Amino acid sequence: MTGAVRLEPVNEQNLEPLLSVAAAEAEPGEVMPPVEAPAGWSLARRDAFREFHRASFAGLTGPTRTQMYAILAGGEVVGMVRMTRRDEPGTVETGMWLGRSARGQGLGVAALRELLNEAAAAGMRTVVAETTPDNIEALKVLGKCGAKLREDGGKVHAEICLDSTPPAL
Ligand SMILES: CC(C)(COP(=O)(O)OP(=O)(O)OC[C@H]1O[C@@H](n2cnc3c(N)ncnc32)[C@H](O)[C@@H]1OP(=O)(O)O)[C@@H](O)C(=O)NCCC(=O)NCCS
């Protein structure tokens, strides 16, 4: 789906729209690490969400070695995709989420393809991801983007070699 999505580095301008989508259309566990806070989208968890994203504003060379992108569809923020540098040279790990109403329309594949373009432009050669065997949607998205999948101890490791991935149109 050419042009279905656009990636925009997460910044102070798109952070509140991103939080609104997360709070309205995702579970905390899908979009951020666990924090000590009252259940659900409490004020403390919203603050933690902001700080979690601000910590990566400096991108791949910053302290978290992570570049986060807001996923935009039709000009609206619908989710987030990130890449994090690994110790292996030329390798980043990816992860993503979409708000519930944006799922099941192929936007996940489109966003991951854009992320692969960004990773290649940053000089990366390999993109890896980790998920669980029951996350059918994530496995399908990774498979459609050319990932080799390997199951090991209740986890699925995915590896995408950028040299062999045709560029997204
Ligand atoms: C993972 C995620 C980003 C996928 O994005 P998406 O845009 O919904 O994915 P797509 O619409 O491209 O769908 C992927 C495939 O899964 C299929 N699918 C969706 N739900 C399914 C289900 N319950 N059972 C079987 N297949 C399913 C779709 O039909 C599609 O296959 P197709 O293209 O052959 O028709 C999204 O589901 C999400 O945000 N999940 C919560 C967070 C998460 O789990 N992130 C990944 C962590 S590794």
Side-chain angles (χ1 to χ4, degrees):
M1 262 209 280
T2 309
V5 304
R6 196 161 63 76
L7 303 189
E8 207 175 84
V10 174
N11 56 33
E12 219 44 78
Q13 282 68 51
N14 55 36
L15 185 54
E16 288 306 311
L18 187 64
L19 172 55
S20 300
V21 176
E25 301 203 37
E27 300 301 326
E30 293 177 328
V31 304
M32 64 187 284
V35 289
E36 290 275 338
W41 283 103
S42 56
L43 286 179
R45 199 174 309 275
R46 286 168 190 261
D47 278 342
F49 180 95
R50 293 186 184 95
E51 291 314 313
F52 172 59
H53 289 78
R54 285 183 181 129
S56 293
F57 278 2
L60 291 179
T61 55
T64 66
R65 314 205 308 171
T66 298
Q67 177 65 59
M68 294 175 161
Y69 298 95
I71 302 169
L72 280 84
E76 298 288 327
V77 174
V78 295
M80 195 279 292
V81 60
R82 67 164 172 94
M83 58 177 163
T84 302
R85 279 203 85 136
R86 297 258 296 234
D87 289 338
E88 303 91 315
T91 304
V92 284
E93 184 196 320
T94 190
M96 73 188 298
W97 62 267
L98 293 168
R100 276 183 214 100
S101 63
R103 295 179 195 171
Q105 305 165 35
L107 298 178
V109 173
L112 184 54
R113 284 196 196 283
E114 292 296 328
L115 189 277
L116 298 182
N117 286 342
E118 295 290 336
M124 301 299 145
R125 293 191 303 277
T126 308
V127 176
V128 298
E130 208 168 83
T131 187
T132 48
D134 60 346
N135 198 336
I136 311 287
E137 299 92 324
L139 293 174
K140 282 214 171 179
V141 168
L142 288 162
K144 284 193 164 186
C145 289
K148 279 182 286 177
L149 303 174
R150 179 174 56 84
E151 199 172 333
D152 171 28
K155 295 249 177 209
V156 180
H157 303 275
E159 184 169 324
I160 300 170
C161 175
L162 294 177
D163 303 331
S164 63
T165 308
L169 296 174

